[in-house]
Amino acid sequence: MKLTLGEFRESARARLEPPVWDFLEGGAGEEKTVAANVEAFDRVRLRPRILRGGGDPDPAVKILGRTWDVPVGIAPLAFQTLAHPLGEVATAQGTAAAARVPVVVSTFAGRPFEEIAAAADVPLWLQVYCLRDRSVTRAVVERAQAAGFEALVLTADTPHLGRRLRDLRNGFRLPEGVGPANLPGSGFTDPAAHARAELAPDLDWSVIDWLRSVSSLPILVKGVLSDADAVCAVEAGVDGIVVSNHGGRQLDGAPGTLDVLPEVAAAVAGRVPILLDGGVRRGRDVLAALALGADAVLLGRPVLHGLATGGAEGVTDVLTVLLAEVTETMALAGVRTIADVGPELVRAAPAGPVAAEPVAPVPLTGVLRREDLHASVGDPVMDTMNFLNEVTLRYPDAVSFAPGRPYDGFFDTEQVFTYIRRYLDQLAAEGRTPAQVRDAIFQYGPTAGRIRELVADSLRVDEGIDVPAESIVVTVGCQEAMFLALRALFSGPRDVLLVVSPCYVGITGAARLLDVAVTAVEEGSVAAIEAAVEEERARGRGVRAVYVCPDHSNPSGVTMSLAERHALLALAGRLGLLILEDSPYRLVSPGAQQPTLKSLDREQRVVHLGSYAKSLFPGARLGFAVADQPVVRPDGTTGLLADELAKIKSMVTVNTSPLSQAAVGGALLATGGRLSDLNAETAAYYGETMTRTLAALGRHLPEDRRERLGVSWNTPSGGFFLTVQVPFTADNAALTRSAQEYGVIWTPMSYFYPAGGGERALRLSTSYLSPAEIDEGVARLVAFIEGSAANWVR
C-alpha cells in the first residue's frame, strides 16, 4: 500500500530498465529546472482558516464548459508504452476509475487514438507538436477530432528537444515495438534526432490561426513562462494557457513553473483558463497552484510512475492518493469549494506581478523550515527506527520480534570493571607510569585508537585476517566506520555505491546523509552485481564499492557461500571494485563459519567493517575499520586508507571513548583475542532461539496450512534474523494493527529495500527474547497472520 506519490516513484524506478527510467524521468542539462519545479512548491506555506462551517469539501471545477471532478488533469506524456504495454490505454482506464478529468494525449502516443478513446469515458485532449510537414500535423489533428477528442494543446517550447544528458550518456534508443502509433513513416528510434529532423523550428503566433483553420476544437498553448508571452497568447485568441517548462526537459535554468505563475495570472487577468504543469507531487501542491492563479494543474511524471508500477490500477492508485490529499487539504485549510481558493490561502502571496526568480521567504525568528535543511532529514528511511521505537513504547505488553539486540541475560555488570582493570594492569606491566595509565583512561588519546594492536591480534587468531595494526581505525560503533569509509571513497556525484537488496538501513542512511548515490542489486547474485556495474558505466557513472553482509545478513539472514565469496572477490579484481564487508553476527552464531572476505582477500579489495556490539556488548559503542589499501599521495609518497579515515574521524568524533576501549581491550586480553571462545555459550543460545522460533512457526503453521495461506519463511543457520513472506501488505499500518490487536511487534521488510520491494514480508529478530516469550510471540504472530490473510485463503 503506497501512501505518497514518492513511493510510486521508487516502485517504478525498481521496475524499469535504467535507460528507460532516465528517458522518462530525466531533464535537460544539469536538471536544475527539474529540481526547481518541485522546490517551488516546497517553499509555499498554506494558511488555514478555522470555524468556517463549510462542511465536506467539493473539489469540482468547470473549465472550457466541462465539469472536472477535481482540478487535476493528466499531462501529455510521450511513448507511455515504455512504462507499460497498454500505455495510454491503461492511463485512460486508470484515470476514469479514479475521476472524470481530462487526459492530454501526446502526438507521440504509443497507442492509436481510437483505441484510447474506446478504452474509457474521460475527456481526451490532443497535445500537438507542429511538424515541418503541416499535412502530417493536420492529419493527426483530424484523426484525433474524429475519435472524439475535445481540445488541442499546442506545445510551443520545442523547436527541437533539449539536450538531455542522461539520454546522451545512455545512447538511448526506443526499444523495438515502441514508437508513435499515430504518425506515418519511420526514423523514430532516436527521439532527439527525429525531433531535429521533423519538428518545425520556425513557429510564430500565426500557428494559432493555422490550427483554427484545420480544427474547430478549443486551443490551449503550452510552454508559457512570462507575462509577455501570456499577453501574446491571449491576443492570438487561444482558449487557454498552460504554464509549463516541459517538466524541465527543454531549457535548463528556466524558472520553476509555480514561481512564474503569479506573473502570468496577473497578465491574463481571468480572460482564459490557466493550467500549470511541473512539480505537482502532493494534494497541497494543487491548492497552492490554484491560490497563486491557476485554474487547474496537469499531473505528469507521477502518472508514469503509477503506470509502470501497476498499469491502469497503478494510475488509479496514484490519482486516488492525490485526490484524497486534495480533499483533505481543503478540509484542513477551511476551504469548501475551489471557488473559495484565493491568494490569501498562501503565506506571503503577491498582490500583483512578481519577478520570475523565486523570492526568499521572510524568516521567522528561531523557526527553521525542514525543506531548507539537508534533504536526508525528510527521507523515509530516517523514520523507520523511530517508528519502531514509537510502536514499542506505545504497546509495552506486546512481544517484540523487532529489535536486533543481544540477549542481556549474558551481561554481568561487574565483568566490565574486571575488563577495565585487566587493561590497566597490562599497561602497567608494559612499563607505563601511573600518569600514563591515568591518561589512557581520562584523556582523548590517538584518533585512530589506543587498542589497534589488540584488535589486530584478535582478528588474526579469530578471523584469519592478518593485517598490520596501523591499517585499523577504532570507531564509535560500526556505523561510524561506514560513514568514514563512504566519505573517503566517494568523491563526487558520479561515484556509486552498490548495496545488496534487502539491505541494512545503516549503510543506506549513511549514504543518504553524504549524498552518495546508491544502486540496489539482488541479494545472492554476483552476476547482478556485474550487470549493475556495467549499467552504471553505460550511464557515465562509476561503481566505487559494493556493500555486503555475507554472514547471516541483516535483515534477511542469508549467508554467502564460499564459492560466492571467491566469485565476488574475483569480480572485484576484474572490475576494479572495493568491497565493504560488514559481518557482526559471525562470532555469535553456532557452528563453523565461512571465512571472511577479508581473510580471502589477496589484492586488498576488501574494507572490513567490524563491531563489538554483538560479540561483547552494545553499550561499549566500539567498532573498527580495516583499511589496508595503499593510497598514493600527490607528492608520490604512499600511505594507507586507514590514515585518511583517521583524518576524517578527527573532524567528526575526534576519538573513540578511551573508557570503552579499555573495556574492550581488557576483554581481548582476557581471552587471548579469541572472542569466539568467549561467545561459545552465547552463540549456542542464539542458535537455540533461532531453532525454537522456526520450530514454533512450523508447529503453528504446518505445511498444508501455510501453503493455503501463502506463508513461507527462510531457515538461517545463524545470526539474529529470519524473513517471513505473507500474502498481505506488511506495512506500518499492519504493524500498528499487529501490536494493538494481537500484541506482537515485528519489522516491515520494506524498510530494507532501497529501490522498493518487500511489501509482503516481515523480519523477525530471534535474539532478544526468552524461550517462553518466543513461544508466546509466535502464537500471537500466527494469529495476526491468519487474521490478516483471511481474504487470501483459497
Side-chain angles (χ1 to χ4, degrees), residues 693-708:
T693 304
L694 293 168
L697 284 169
R699 187 169 62 255
H700 287 280
L701 288 172
E703 187 171 357
D704 60 337
R705 178 62 175 159
R706 78 182 75 140
E707 286 182 1
R708 284 192 292 116

Side-chain angles (χ1 to χ4, degrees), residues 410-412 415 418-419 458 462 587-589 612 614-617 663-686:
F410 291 104
F411 296 154
D412 180 355
Q415 191 67 54
T418 301
Y419 287 151
S458 179
D462 237 352
L587 298 183
V588 290
S589 295
Y612 294 106
K614 309 301 186 294
S615 55
L616 282 175
F617 55 93
V664 171
L668 295 176
L669 287 166
T671 60
R674 294 190 179 278
L675 294 183
S676 54
D677 291 345
L678 180 67
N679 281 284
E681 184 182 356
T682 307
Y685 177 86
Y686 291 136

Side-chain angles (χ1 to χ4, degrees), residues 16 20 24 77-89 91 108-112 174-175 177-181 304 307:
L16 295 173
V20 172
L24 298 176
L77 304 160
F79 305 121
Q80 293 184 29
T81 47
L82 284 169
H84 189 276
L86 289 179
E88 294 80 0
V89 170
T91 295
F108 292 101
R111 307 297 298 192
L174 292 176
V178 174
L304 286 179
L307 185 63

Side-chain angles (χ1 to χ4, degrees), residues 21 122 135 156 184 204 209 287 390 408 598 603 636 697 702-703:
W21 170 258
V122 291
S135 67
D204 58 25
D209 290 334
L287 272 294
E390 182 180 306
D408 57 16
K598 189 60 185 174
E603 298 180 354
L697 284 169
E703 187 171 357

Side-chain angles (χ1 to χ4, degrees), residues 331-343:
L332 296 177
V335 174
R336 195 185 73 80
T337 70
I338 297 302
D340 296 332
V341 178

Side-chain angles (χ1 to χ4, degrees), residues 132 160-161 172-173 187-199:
R132 293 175 188 263
H160 60 78
L161 296 189
F172 181 78
R173 298 293 183 271
F188 304 111
T189 304
D190 183 343
H194 177 265
R196 286 192 297 271
E198 300 298 333
L199 294 183

